[in-house]
Amino acid sequence: MWNRVLPREAWFMPKKPPVPSTELGHPRSRAAFVRMKVLVSCYIGLSVLALVVAYLWRNRPDLVTDVVWVRGEGVLIASVVLFLFVVGTARGRRGAHLRLRIASAAMVAAIAVLISLPGFLPWWMRIEQGLCGLVLIGIAVIANGGHLRSLFAKDRGYG
């Protein structure tokens, strides 16, 4: 009895169907996806630029600390993950949209805390992180906007 094989449905949670492409193709939806892709691309660009600056100033311990390297690499990874969430959202995946909404807001809060800590980051990285925060605010506003929230609402009845 204990070694009986469970049906597939018991092993995996059934996936919610994606949002239909007709809804994703709406001009407001397409505009939101394009704006978010542009913003997250700027976020990736700022992250890469921060690592390039850190490399160029690597012999200046007053400007490039271990925290700069760790934070810079972490932000780059997070920006790529956020890009994947935006792509998943543009493809109609509800889970990606939820992750995008949560991650963008959480990243803004984390940046606000980190740049407010005295002496934690050098001046140039505080500026870079502030710019990243502004970009993330734009992403969060679009992702949490009424149109996309209604598009990805659970009670839409797709499927």
Side-chain angles (χ1 to χ4, degrees):
M1 180 119 159
W2 59 271
N3 62 355
R4 186 171 59 167
V5 176
L6 295 174
R8 180 182 169 112
E9 294 79 27
W11 288 56
F12 302 103
M13 296 293 294
K15 290 185 177 183
K16 291 181 178 67
V19 176
S21 58
T22 55
E23 296 281 337
L24 297 173
H26 186 277
R28 286 184 67 194
S29 303
R30 285 196 326 253
F33 300 143
V34 167
R35 285 186 193 114
M36 286 192 300
K37 285 178 182 177
V38 167
L39 286 171
V40 80
S41 296
C42 291
Y43 185 41
I44 291 171
L46 284 168
S47 304
V48 169
L49 183 61
L51 287 174
V52 168
V53 169
Y55 179 78
L56 293 174
W57 288 345
R58 67 188 177 278
N59 294 325
R60 301 267 320 262
D62 58 321
L63 295 177
V64 180
T65 62
D66 291 340
V67 172
V68 168
W69 288 110
V70 172
R71 181 72 187 152
E73 293 166 359
V75 170
L76 179 59
I77 292 168
S79 65
V80 171
V81 169
L82 201 67
F83 182 78
L84 296 175
F85 292 162
V86 170
V87 169
T89 300
R91 291 182 179 165
R93 297 184 184 135
R94 287 185 172 81
H97 180 248
L98 178 61
R99 288 176 187 92
L100 175 65
R101 290 177 52 215
I102 292 170
S104 60
M107 288 176 182
V108 169
I111 287 172
V113 168
L114 291 177
I115 63 175
S116 68
L117 294 174
F120 186 68
L121 295 171
W123 64 268
W124 68 270
M125 190 159 222
R126 286 177 191 265
I127 294 170
E128 181 266 345
Q129 288 291 285
L131 293 173
C132 286
L134 291 174
V135 169
L136 285 168
I137 288 171
I139 295 169
V141 166
I142 295 168
N144 287 295
H147 178 72
L148 288 186
R149 286 188 65 160
S150 67
L151 184 68
F152 288 93
K154 287 183 181 180
D155 60 351
R156 293 283 303 243
Y158 299 128

